[in-house]
Amino acid sequence: MKEIWWQGVLRSASLPRLVNIVKLISAMGVSWFARKSYVWGVPAVLAVEPTSLCNLSCPQCLVGLGKIERQRRLLDIQLYKQVLDEIGDRLWYLLLFNQGEPFLHPQLLEFIRIAKQRRIYVVTSTNGHFLFDSCYVTELVKSRLDVIIVSLDGSDAGSYSAYRRGGNFHQVVEGLSRLIQTRTQLHMATPKVLLQCLVTRHNEHLIPAMRQFADHMNVDRLLLKTLHIEDSETAAEYLPFQPAWRRYRKTAGTKSAKNSLKGKCWRLWYSAVLLADGRLVPCCFDKNGHYGYGLVQLDKNFEPTWTSDASDQFRNTILNQQSVIALCSNCSAHQKIYL
């Protein structure tokens, strides 16, 4: 959990959130004991996808590969407001990213402000290409965003461009520097800036250089993250030589994740993902929405979708026959994803 800044999370505590957590934990325990889905409360953690669009073409990303089967779109801010009006006092942790590049949504700053007005802990992630405007970056810092994760998969342009196709290394570095300088000038403690590097075959030899670079840029934390594979045929081109730095046992032809389906999937009882098209899905690995709980719509409450028959059926399958769910075979649960 290196990506979580626990001090900030705890500052968002409130009685309704604590009561909701107790309900969620109780439902987890009863469900695992009875082998039947019970859900009490609302998600304490919600990932909201501002957009399924991206400006890059990364070769192990469904968006970059052009394999997103759903419509590319922006999330309706009115739908977002409605969801937070309903569950915002109980929602503790909001991730404003999933697939796509969040900063392509023209109302992203408003998304952040709306959540911060409710004292929700807010994190977003970016490929760093939209931090070029000083006024925009100033407003971003003033929004009171808690954490921003900036992806930079290499300490030089060559190693970076091997994976971040269509990206500009120098533009990202300049934007990162601008963000940190602006935060310092405004005497703000947030957002915490986390520099994330996906460890690939092209940059694994540069990990010491990445550590030095992170220190030089004065980021709050460096995240060295293992690579998630979507295209098995090209996996060997990107997976590191070091076996300990892979999520997978095999490197070519097929992928076999190191996870274990025998472990308990707690996340289904405390979190969910709202896609840009309004579908509510179990987790971030359901990238195409194949296991959706239902559609969250304007003038329709969130909770009936969170506790729908489809959600009960999915949780019951996880409880009793998880191995039949293809989604779980490429999950990072029960394994180390940060080096």
Side-chain angles (χ1 to χ4, degrees), residues 86-97:
E86 182 183 350
I87 70 168
D89 62 332
R90 292 168 286 173
L91 177 65
W92 200 321
Y93 194 121
L94 177 66
L95 298 98
L96 280 173
F97 64 96

Side-chain angles (χ1 to χ4, degrees), residues 151-206:
S151 295
L152 190 72
D153 306 327
S155 59
D156 56 48
S159 58
Y160 169 83
S161 61
Y163 185 78
R164 293 285 166 176
R165 294 180 180 172
N168 185 313
F169 174 82
H170 299 291
Q171 184 175 335
V172 177
V173 172
E174 289 173 6
L176 179 64
S177 177
R178 182 174 294 109
L179 174 63
I180 294 171
Q181 288 176 9
T182 301
R183 186 185 66 176
T184 301
Q185 290 166 359
L186 293 175
H187 306 288
M188 299 283 283
T190 59
K192 299 300 184 185
V193 180
L194 278 54
L195 184 64
Q196 179 171 282
C197 174
L198 295 179
V199 179
T200 69
R201 182 161 298 193
H202 303 282
N203 64 23
E204 61 182 314
H205 62 291
L206 295 172

Side-chain angles (χ1 to χ4, degrees), residues 49 102-103 118 129 158 211 233 308 327 334:
E49 181 182 79
F103 283 79
R118 297 182 177 275
H129 287 83
R211 296 187 192 279
E233 293 183 0
S308 65
L327 174 72
H334 314 298

Side-chain angles (χ1 to χ4, degrees), residues 17-42 44 264 266 268-270 306 315 319:
R17 289 178 181 134
L18 290 170
V19 170
N20 186 56
I21 286 286
V22 171
K23 289 181 177 180
L24 296 174
I25 293 174
S26 300
M28 287 182 211
V30 172
S31 297
W32 282 103
F33 178 78
R35 293 293 167 181
K36 184 179 184 302
S37 173
Y38 293 91
V39 180
W40 305 319
V42 298
K264 293 179 176 62
W266 298 117
L268 301 182
W269 275 264
Y270 68 78
W306 164 244
R315 292 186 186 98
L319 287 167

Side-chain angles (χ1 to χ4, degrees), residues 248 255-259 261 322-323 325-331:
Y248 305 92
K255 60 177 183 288
S256 176
K258 294 177 181 178
N259 66 0
L261 298 185
Q322 186 178 6
S323 60
I325 300 180
L327 174 72
C328 301
S329 65
N330 198 20
C331 174

Side-chain angles (χ1 to χ4, degrees), residues 46-54 63 68-81 83 94-108 111 272-281 283-284 286-289 292 294-298 302:
L46 184 66
V48 172
E49 181 182 79
T51 178
S52 51
L53 301 166
C54 191
V63 176
I68 283 287
E69 299 169 3
R70 48 195 173 89
Q71 183 182 10
R72 309 287 184 93
R73 60 179 297 168
L74 303 174
L75 179 67
D76 184 348
I77 194 169
Q78 296 305 319
L79 181 62
Y80 173 78
K81 287 179 179 178
V83 170
L94 177 66
L95 298 98
L96 280 173
F97 64 96
N98 185 46
Q99 298 298 292
E101 167 54 46
F103 283 79
L104 282 172
H105 199 301
Q107 295 170 301
L108 181 66
F111 277 53
V273 178
L274 181 66
L275 301 179
D277 60 11
R279 275 183 286 178
L280 190 69
V281 299
C283 69
C284 60
D286 190 8
K287 302 177 190 299
N288 275 315
L295 190 65
V296 180
Q297 298 173 294
L298 287 170
F302 176 93

